Structure formats: structure tokens, C-alpha cells
Amino acid sequence: MMAAQMRGMEGELKVQTLKDILRPAPPDTMGEKKDKIKLVNKAGESKSPYVRAHASNPVAWQLWGDEAFELAKRENRLIFISIGYHACHWCHVMERESFENEEVATILNESFIPIKIDREERPDIDRIYMNYVQATTGSAGFPLNVFVTPDLKPVFGGTYWPGPSSNKSPSEDQVDFLVVLKKLEAVWKDQEEKCRQDSAQILQQLKEFSADGTYGDRLGEGSDGVDIELLEEAYQNFASTFDTINGGFGISPKFPTPSKLSFLLRLGQYPQAVLDVVGDAECRVAENMAISTLRKMARGGIHDHIGNGFARYSVTADWSLPHFEKMLYDNAQLLHVYLDAFLLSRDAELLGVVYDIAAYLSTTLAHPDGGFYSSEDADSYYRKGDTDKREGAFYVWTKREFENVLGTQAEPILSAFFNVSSHGNVLPENDSQDEFIDQNVLAVVSNPAALASTFGMKEDEIVRTIKEGKAALLAHREKERIRPALDDKIVVSWNGIAIGALARLSAVTKGFDPEKSRDFITAALSAANFIKERLYDEHEKILYRVWREGRGDSKGFTDDYAFLIEGLIDLYEATFDEKWLHWADDLQQSQNTQFYDTEGTGGFFFTTKSSSDAILRLKVGMDESEPSTNGISASNLYRLSSVLNDDSYARKAKETISSFESELLQYPWLFASFIPSIVARHLGLKGTIVAGSGDEKVKAFEKQPRGALGTFAKLTTESKWLRERNSLLTSFGGDGKTRILVCEGGVCKEEPVSEDLGVEKLDIADRAEEQKEAS
């Protein structure tokens, strides 16, 4: 279910609020009381770093599974489900305020069955109850807290509630967590039957509105209203919400929204038919909106200027104050987007950001044996020996620290460059926990030319001073500060995004920075091999979702397949090693078998039919912090259909788009990941196959920004599997001679081959040199 559907549910779904819960009702007859069992905290038995971190809580956390469910049924208690993730700031706040509190623990342990869940391990459970909370309260976030019946039907839910040790008073609409607990304890005791009836009714309404995930079949059979005119409507929405001053969309808080930025960058790269609909000028504006946003983000506090990588989002509209958690999925998506922006703009600053993100992935988040870790926390200790963690402590600076670390000559220059002041640069209204008093979040507010004029120095001297100062700050930070905790889970879906981004970057940099190119492809290959060796069952052809200290129990969800398949296709197009394309094909067949809706409207469910502990089976269509699994799946199907000459894949891609037709027609801007497939559905794909050399054709392909879906294959005399899988290629180029085949619109034509294929040389080597100097 998606936000678009949530809008349709407002006013129709029965909302269980505290006022409803507190309304007097005749008490049920509960029978004789039984002796209460004593729960034991089992969080330490989990492999999840997030769940394990709660092992010392007085709350006796149970693990999600049949044992806890049976316990709730036997004791006839509500289950309290708390869902979060390791890097979540407010999850840690609620833990300190509530879950470490003895009074809270006593109520939870004696009257409920408390269960702690890592949303990154069980995104299926998270999505179900997130949809419930969003539908009943109008908003959602983390931590996600839901009270459910012993058979898992939701009764009441919300996000962060202030605990007994909170330093701020609950707002009019936000009650204290102790109040919530006591009221739910009472209502289950006195109104259990009403709770059960209401929760069953709510669940039924959720099932009806999910309609197996979509509204796709409600416009009438065989409708085909999804056309490329939707691109113009999506563009107009983005243009109307664009922040012309700060970049990005809407007001604070601001998220990077890579799917939106990718849509804007790709718009002008589609065939002319799309430009005729949207407008040439509008496509140029779209590209400028995306690139200006990316520059603002790169200079803002959301970017770690001393280390590498981007935080998850900004509290402020100008990107100056982030929530400091860093996520793999954000940085991997941003690597794709910044790479496209560089290829379109040839801007050395953007290439520097590309290298920055790649360095973060391949160092801080890299497992020694391959694969990428999930995230770094927002909170950490400011100094060695501190007992209390603070948000952003690893990243912020006082003016005095700048003076001590940089010295009298460099400090004024870097303070002016990074907006550092003696009273700090975080406004009090943005510091609800009083953690940033006199602290500065570094953001670039000047440039070397302006500083050279201000300080009466040469510009190259300013550049050198900034570079040396950043190195000094980094050395101090690494020596004196305690790095935020690392969530060292390896999640297949997020690794798939990173694999694809690094593979594309390797191909782009091969010509002008071969050493870095080898580093990037090595990181991508190591991750792909790690997943294949440790998280893939070759016999069953299924994925497992998580690795940490061994393979986790949860089998892969549809996002694991979708994002990994996309990454493997990108990896193939960067290496032309057909084993990656072969694996992508195997995974696509497995995804189709396990998740595709063959009985309803088409498209992919998030879970398999055999999933026993999910009360709803949903389809994910809308872009969220990650791209739409169905949008990416449709693109994968079209790309594989093209390179493998498999029409069954193209049919499933079209059906997947149709399954979300109603939502796409109403809110196309919420489904940006579907747009490339919509274009392909109406205008087709271009597939290019090169046999033999064809180096210039390959180089041109490698340096293209993403636009319309297309495929590129390179055959050698060793390309046995691909020739068998695609009957068109059985004998093509088997003699080793250079040949080029272009397939489009169901027709394949061979291009003439000459010494000079007329490929435009992309002037990026100079930009690379500029980037090295600037950084």
C-alpha cells in the first residue's frame, strides 16, 4: 500500500485514537487471574546490532517469531512491537527515555509481550504496521510503535512518544509513553472484546484498500491510460514544489530524494517524442533543478566535508543541519545521481562528490571480504571517556577547536569557508535537545576566489590552505573522537544498488583514471561475489536477505531481487562478463516465481505467498527512501527482455506497469522509478550488441548518463551462455570479426563498421584533473 492509497483511506478507515480507547465501556468478564510469568530479555540472541543494543534494557524484549506469538496467546496479552534501526536518532532517544526506565519496563514486562524488530531485517513487518500507523494518524516515522492483538491485528500505534526522562513536555497531540501504556493496559483488561472487534475491522479495511497492493484493476479491464504525457505532469509537480533558493523540494525537513533527481536528470535524455510532450526548455529546466540541488547538498551540512558521505536528511531547508545518520542506500543512490549529473554537466565539483561517495562506500562501509555495511549512527560520544552520547558529536566543531587544530593563520580562512562562529551556527529552534550549543556544523558558504580577495592571498594559496586544514581536522577527528557505531549487517538489496553505482563509475573513469577505475570495479565485484557465495542458495536459486556473523534466517524479499538484478545488469555492462548477466537472469526467474501476482493484476508482491507471519501481502509501487521495487523490476524486465530477446519478460514489465495504473494516473510524481519503463513501453528500447572489438562504441556507451532504457552487450568467442540464451546471437560474430547489431522496435539491423565509428570524444579527462586540483 502506498501514500496515494492512504489518501483514499482518510475518513474511511476506523481510527483508534486514545480518545476512543479511553471512552468508557462495560468491562469484559476476564475470569480468574493467573500467575504472571517472568519474561527474560532475549535481545542478545539476535544477530541484528540494533536489536542486540537493547540487551541491557530492563524491558524484557522478545524476538519476533512463533515463540513470542504463542506466549502472547497463552498469557492473553497485547503485543507491543517497537520497530527501528541502528542509525535512527529518535530510536535511541526513546530507548534512553523509556526503555531504560524501570517503571516503563515493569508495565511492559507484566502486562504486554514486548518485541523489538530491526526494520532492515524485516521490512515486510515494518511496511504493514507503517501503513496502519500512517492510515490512522496521518503520519509515520521511526521509531514505529504498535500495539497488536495476540494474532497480530493492530490496535493502536504511533512513532516517538516522550518517556519519563524526557526533558521536554509532551505536546497537545503527543502524550507521554507511560500514559499510553497505562491506557492500553486498562483498555485490554476492560474492553478486550471491543479491541478485538475493532482490530479485526481495521485489518479487513486495510486488506480491502490494499486490494492485493494496487488499484490497477479498478479502471476497467484492458485500459491503457499510462502514457508519456504523465512525464509532463510529474515534471510540473516537481517544478511547482522546487525550492528555488536552496534546491530540493518543499520545506524542512528535506530529504535528498534521489528518485526525483534521477527523473529530472533523465528527462532530457529520452527520445524526441518525450521532449515534444514535456518541452525542450522544460527538460533543460529539469536538469538545472537537479544539478543545482546536488550542488547545494554537496556544499551543505548534510555532506561530511571532513570525511566522506552524506547524512540521511536535513532538518533545515538549506541543508545546513542534518540528522547525522549515514545510510548505505542513500549514498549508493546518490552515487548514481551525482555520476549522471557530472556526465551531463562536466562539472569538476560534481566529479569530486562522486569520488567522495565512492570512497565512503569502499572504505568506511566496506567489509574486508566484500559487501557493504548498512549504516553509521547519528549519535556518538564526543570525547573518549564520555558517558552520554550526543547527536552529531563526531561531526561538529567549536570555534576554539578550530583555533587549536588549525592555528592562527589557517583558522580564519577555514572558519570563513565553513561558516564557523564562536557561538555556533545551529539556531536554538533547531536544537530541541540542547546538543548543539556553541557547536558548528560545517557547510561551505564561500569559495577560494572570494576568500583570496578577503584575505589578500592568491587563490591557489587559499586552495592549499583549505586542503591542508581539512586534512588536519580529519586527523584530529580520527584521533580524538569516538566514531559512531557501525551497523555491520550486509543487506542484499542495498548492496545491489551500490554494486550498480560502482560498476557504472568504473566504466566512466576507465579512460582518464584507470587506477581508480580498477578500485571501483574491484569493490563492486567483491560485493557481488560475497552475496553469491554467502547469501545465495545455488540449488534453490533463492537469496537470503542479511549477513552478519553468518547468514540470517530471513529469505530475500522482492526488493533484494529487484535491486540486485539491476546492479548485476550494470555490472555486466561494465565488465561484459556474462556470468553476471546469467545470474541476473536466474534471479529474475526466481523473483517471478516467488513474488509475481499471477492471479490478480500483475506486479510483484513484497513477500512470498508462503510468508506466515505477515497479516497483509503488499505491493510496493511508490518511491520512498528507496526506489520502488516494482518500478525497478519493470526496468529490469525490459532490459533483460532486450538483451536476451525474451518477450515473456517484456510482457511482465507491461503488466507490472498496468497493475499500478490508477495510482500512476493520479500521482505520477510519486512513481518516478516507473518512468523509464513507461517510456520503454510506448517508445521501445534500443539494444546494441558488439562482437569483436568495437572499442569506440563501447567507450561511448560507458560514458552515457542514464536516460531511456537500453542495453549493451559485447560478445567474444567465449560468450557461450549468451549465445545459447538469445537465439539471435547463436552465430553472430562467432568468427571474431567486429560486427555491430542494433535492435529496436522489434527490428534488428547491422551497422556498418569502419575504422572511425564517429564517436564523440567526451572531454572528461580535463574535468578529472580539475577535480583533483580543487579537492
Side-chain angles (χ1 to χ4, degrees):
M1 193 179 306
M2 300 154 293
Q5 292 167 284
M6 295 298 102
R7 292 185 178 89
M9 296 174 68
E10 290 172 6
E12 298 180 62
L13 182 64
K14 183 176 174 116
V15 177
Q16 187 82 329
T17 66
L18 277 179
K19 290 182 180 178
D20 297 325
I21 290 172
L22 293 175
R23 188 175 292 118
D28 290 340
T29 302
M30 300 298 295
E32 295 182 6
K33 287 187 176 181
K34 298 183 294 184
D35 292 336
K36 292 185 176 180
I37 62 165
K38 183 175 178 61
L39 298 178
V40 176
N41 190 324
K42 296 186 176 183
E45 300 174 15
S46 172
K47 287 185 177 181
S48 161
Y50 171 69
V51 176
R52 274 190 186 180
H54 295 75
S56 61
N57 292 170
V59 175
W61 295 110
Q62 306 298 292
L63 302 183
W64 178 268
D66 291 340
E67 183 179 345
F69 308 154
E70 290 303 317
L71 184 60
K73 291 173 184 176
R74 188 168 67 248
E75 296 298 315
N76 194 35
R77 297 188 190 181
L78 284 176
I79 299 172
F80 170 67
I81 302 172
S82 183
I83 305 174
Y85 58 98
H86 198 274
C88 170
H89 169 68
W90 287 104
C91 299
H92 295 306
V93 172
M94 190 162 182
E95 180 188 11
R96 290 195 299 268
E97 293 179 355
S98 295
F99 303 144
E100 294 177 354
N101 181 272
E102 293 290 344
E103 185 179 3
V104 167
T106 298
I107 298 175
L108 280 172
N109 296 343
E110 294 183 357
S111 300
F112 302 89
I113 302 298
I115 297 178
K116 177 60 70 173
I117 296 178
D118 183 338
R119 69 173 292 258
E120 296 164 2
E121 285 191 337
R122 293 303 304 263
D124 55 330
I125 306 303
D126 168 52
R127 287 185 182 279
I128 290 169
Y129 294 115
M130 182 70 76
N131 283 336
Y132 163 73
V133 170
Q134 187 173 5
T136 54
T137 68
S139 63
F142 297 100
L144 181 67
N145 298 299
V146 187
F147 296 86
V148 304
T149 63
D151 53 357
L152 306 181
K153 296 182 178 68
V155 173
F156 182 72
T159 56
Y160 163 77
W161 288 303
S165 61
S166 175
N167 61 3
K168 63 178 184 177
S169 301
S171 64
E172 183 178 342
D173 298 324
Q174 189 179 47
V175 296
D176 185 283
F177 185 49
L178 270 176
V179 174
V180 174
L181 287 177
K182 292 174 181 177
K183 300 309 179 186
L184 265 297
E185 180 184 28
V187 79
W188 184 249
K189 177 182 178 182
D190 299 335
Q191 305 178 41
E192 178 189 333
E193 188 57 36
K194 182 176 183 298
C195 277
R196 290 185 180 274
Q197 291 174 356
D198 288 348
S199 65
Q201 182 180 353
I202 289 171
L203 178 59
Q204 182 58 37
Q205 289 175 317
L206 285 169
K207 287 181 177 179
E208 291 171 0
F209 278 104
S210 70
D212 285 342
T214 70
Y215 286 159
D217 58 346
R218 298 189 181 186
L219 291 180
E221 296 295 329
S223 60
D224 189 20
V226 179
D227 209 338
I228 57 176
E229 280 77 10
L230 291 178
L231 278 72
E232 197 274 336
E233 186 176 350
Y235 162 77
Q236 292 295 342
N237 178 271
F238 293 147
S240 68
T241 58
F242 181 67
D243 183 343
T244 56
I245 297 174
N246 302 302
F249 305 93
I251 56 176
S252 60
K254 264 198 187 151
F255 290 79
T257 61
S259 294
K260 292 182 181 180
L261 298 174
S262 180
F263 166 85
L264 294 170
L265 290 172
R266 295 177 82 147
L267 199 55
Q269 308 306 304
Y270 287 123
Q272 187 60 45
V274 171
L275 276 64
D276 291 342
V277 169
V278 180
D280 289 323
E282 285 77 4
C283 289
R284 289 192 295 272
V285 170
E287 182 180 312
N288 290 333
M289 284 195 292
I291 290 176
S292 64
T293 296
L294 291 168
R295 288 194 183 110
K296 293 283 189 180
M297 286 168 47
R299 298 167 188 172
I302 193 173
H303 184 197
D304 181 1
H305 295 278
I306 302 305
N308 306 108
F310 283 79
R312 183 164 173 258
Y313 69 96
S314 175
V315 175
T316 57
D318 63 357
W319 309 103
S320 62
L321 178 62
H323 263 314
F324 290 86
E325 61 262 36
K326 293 180 182 177
M327 313 298 298
L328 171 59
Y329 62 78
D330 283 321
N331 283 279
Q333 289 179 86
L334 286 173
L335 181 53
H336 269 302
V337 175
Y338 271 100
L339 181 58
D340 286 331
F342 163 67
L343 290 172
L344 288 167
S345 67
R346 308 293 192 268
D347 184 342
E349 179 184 4
L350 298 180
L351 179 59
V353 180
V354 168
Y355 274 43
D356 174 284
I357 300 172
Y360 181 65
L361 298 183
S362 56
T363 55
T364 305
L365 293 187
H367 187 283
D369 297 332
F372 304 102
Y373 301 132
S374 295
S375 63
E376 288 189 289
D377 277 11
D379 300 6
S380 61
Y381 299 109
Y382 186 54
R383 296 183 184 87
K384 296 176 182 177
D386 284 358
T387 56
D388 293 324
K389 291 184 177 181
R390 289 167 26 194
E391 184 185 6
F394 186 70
Y395 303 101
V396 297
W397 301 84
T398 64
K399 178 79 165 179
R400 177 64 60 86
E401 285 176 310
F402 254 47
E403 293 169 349
N404 292 338
V405 173
L406 298 172
T408 56
Q409 290 187 325
E411 180 274 320
I413 296 171
L414 274 87
S415 289
F417 186 65
F418 284 126
N419 190 33
V420 173
S421 73
S422 57
H423 297 294
N425 60 15
V426 179
L427 297 175
E429 56 265 33
N430 295 323
D431 187 17
S432 60
Q433 303 287 313
D434 293 332
E435 293 176 308
F436 300 116
I437 296 173
D438 295 335
Q439 300 288 338
N440 293 273
V441 179
L442 304 190
V444 176
V445 295
S446 188
N447 59 71
L451 293 173
S453 176
T454 300
F455 291 95
M457 298 170 61
K458 293 180 180 179
E459 190 170 335
D460 61 347
E461 293 176 334
I462 294 290
V463 171
R464 185 175 64 254
T465 300
I466 293 172
K467 184 177 181 180
E468 292 173 352
K470 287 172 64 175
L473 292 169
L474 177 61
H476 176 84
R477 192 173 81 171
E478 295 294 331
K479 180 181 178 181
E480 300 297 333
R481 306 263 179 98
I482 306 298
R483 193 167 192 99
L486 176 73
D487 185 338
D488 57 357
K489 293 193 313 293
I490 293 177
V491 178
V492 169
S493 61
W494 301 352
N495 272 256
I497 303 173
I499 288 167
L502 286 165
R504 290 186 59 228
L505 177 56
S506 172
V508 168
T509 55
K510 191 182 303 179
F512 64 84
D513 197 347
E515 184 178 349
K516 282 291 185 183
S517 176
R518 286 191 293 271
D519 291 342
F520 300 144
I521 200 63
T522 297
L525 290 168
S526 296
N529 282 314
F530 185 98
I531 293 170
K532 191 167 188 180
E533 292 168 6
R534 307 194 193 192
L535 288 166
Y536 181 59
D537 186 323
E538 187 79 40
H539 178 69
E540 298 291 336
K541 296 193 183 304
I542 60 170
L543 291 167
Y544 285 79
R545 179 169 178 83
V546 170
W547 188 95
R548 184 180 186 272
E549 298 177 356
R551 191 179 75 184
D553 296 328
S554 295
K555 293 180 180 179
F557 301 102
T558 199
D559 64 331
D560 295 302
Y561 288 83
F563 297 163
L564 180 57
I565 291 167
E566 181 184 45
L568 292 174
I569 298 173
D570 289 336
L571 186 58
Y572 166 73
E573 292 181 337
T575 63
F576 299 116
D577 184 342
E578 66 175 23
K579 74 178 182 182
W580 303 120
L581 189 62
H582 188 175
W583 191 23
D585 184 32
D586 286 346
L587 289 172
Q588 188 62 68
Q589 293 179 44
S590 183
Q591 184 189 7
N592 294 349
T593 300
Q594 295 183 79
F595 301 97
Y596 194 76
D597 180 6
T598 58
E599 301 172 359
T601 62
F604 293 89
F605 290 108
F606 195 78
T607 56
T608 65
K609 183 177 287 188
S610 61
S611 178
S612 60
D613 55 1
I615 59 174
L616 285 173
R617 198 176 181 208
L618 303 174
K619 297 176 187 174
V620 180
M622 187 179 71
D623 294 312
E624 298 170 341
S625 57
E626 302 162 43
S628 160
T629 54
N630 273 279
I632 297 301
S633 295
S635 293
N636 293 341
L637 287 163
Y638 271 129
R639 293 172 74 185
L640 290 172
S641 171
S642 173
V643 74
L644 302 177
N645 189 34
D646 190 330
D647 290 339
S648 69
Y649 282 169
R651 286 194 296 273
K652 276 189 167 55
K654 184 176 180 180
E655 291 168 1
T656 298
I657 296 170
S658 296
S659 71
F660 290 90
E661 183 168 329
S662 177
E663 291 90 338
L664 281 162
L665 290 174
Q666 293 179 77
Y667 311 103
W669 55 89
L670 298 179
F671 298 82
S673 293
F674 271 93
I675 298 302
S677 295
I678 292 172
V679 175
R681 173 175 173 173
H682 290 280
L683 302 180
L685 284 79
K686 180 179 179 179
T688 303
I689 302 100
V690 172
S693 178
D695 290 342
E696 293 303 318
K697 198 78 172 177
V698 172
K699 289 177 183 177
F701 169 77
E702 289 173 338
K703 294 173 175 60
Q704 288 177 354
R706 292 178 301 176
L709 292 180
T711 58
F712 198 101
K714 189 172 187 292
L715 296 175
T716 68
T717 55
E718 305 298 321
S719 302
K720 182 180 178 181
W721 173 82
L722 185 52
R723 293 182 191 279
E724 292 175 351
R725 182 69 171 85
N726 185 343
S727 59
L728 289 176
L729 306 178
T730 302
S731 59
F732 179 75
D735 56 5
K737 293 181 179 179
T738 298
R739 297 174 67 185
I740 299 172
L741 187 68
V742 177
C743 298
E744 196 167 9
V747 178
C748 294
K749 295 182 179 180
E750 194 162 345
E751 284 190 355
V753 178
S754 63
E755 291 297 322
D756 181 5
L757 294 173
V759 178
E760 178 188 1
K761 303 290 186 180
L762 299 181
D763 179 25
I764 61 178
D766 291 342
R767 300 299 189 270
E769 195 59 37
E770 291 175 19
Q771 181 268 321
K772 289 178 182 177
E773 293 176 2
S775 64

